[in-house]
Amino acid sequence: KSLAEKYGFQYNKLYFKNQKTLWGSCSSKNNININIHVMRLPQHLIDYILIHELAHTIQKNHGKDFWKLVDKCVGGGKLLARELKRYSIEF
């Protein structure tokens, strides 16, 4: 079962890209881009990135409501964001 189904998110299209600076992004049309290098991360951080971008389908900013939504799905969203910063996209 996908994380989107599990948590009730809806997105338009999903793309995998070789990005140099971002782990993921969500467009105003709810298209989600995921960096192909996420496959090198631990599973809990992959899940965090996916939930982070799915949350942007509802909350387009990084405000309080955004983090509440992320935390509802993965818990400790800001801690996971800090952990992710220890990883470089260019391995």
Side-chain angles (χ1 to χ4, degrees):
K1 190 172 182 183
S2 77
L3 290 173
E5 288 177 310
K6 182 177 179 179
Y7 295 108
F9 292 106
Q10 293 186 345
Y11 61 92
N12 187 25
K13 294 181 182 175
L14 176 64
Y15 300 97
F16 292 93
K17 296 183 176 183
N18 185 8
Q19 297 172 286
K20 300 233 185 282
T21 58
L22 297 174
W23 290 109
S25 62
C26 180
S27 76
S28 60
K29 295 180 179 176
N30 291 339
N31 293 325
I32 293 178
N33 297 305
I34 298 296
N35 194 318
I36 60 171
H37 296 286
V38 300
M39 66 183 151
R40 296 178 175 151
L41 295 171
Q43 186 62 51
H44 71 285
L45 290 178
I46 295 171
D47 289 350
Y48 161 71
I49 291 167
L50 293 171
I51 290 295
H52 183 108
E53 300 313 330
L54 287 166
H56 279 310
T57 63
I58 295 171
Q59 294 290 329
K60 298 296 185 192
N61 56 48
H62 290 111
K64 187 172 64 170
D65 290 338
F66 169 82
W67 289 108
K68 277 187 197 174
L69 187 55
V70 170
D71 288 345
K72 213 160 83 173
C73 301
V74 293
K78 287 188 177 183
L79 288 173
L80 292 167
R82 278 198 290 278
E83 182 180 348
L84 182 61
K85 288 182 180 176
R86 290 187 284 203
Y87 291 86
S88 170
I89 289 172
E90 295 182 17
F91 286 81

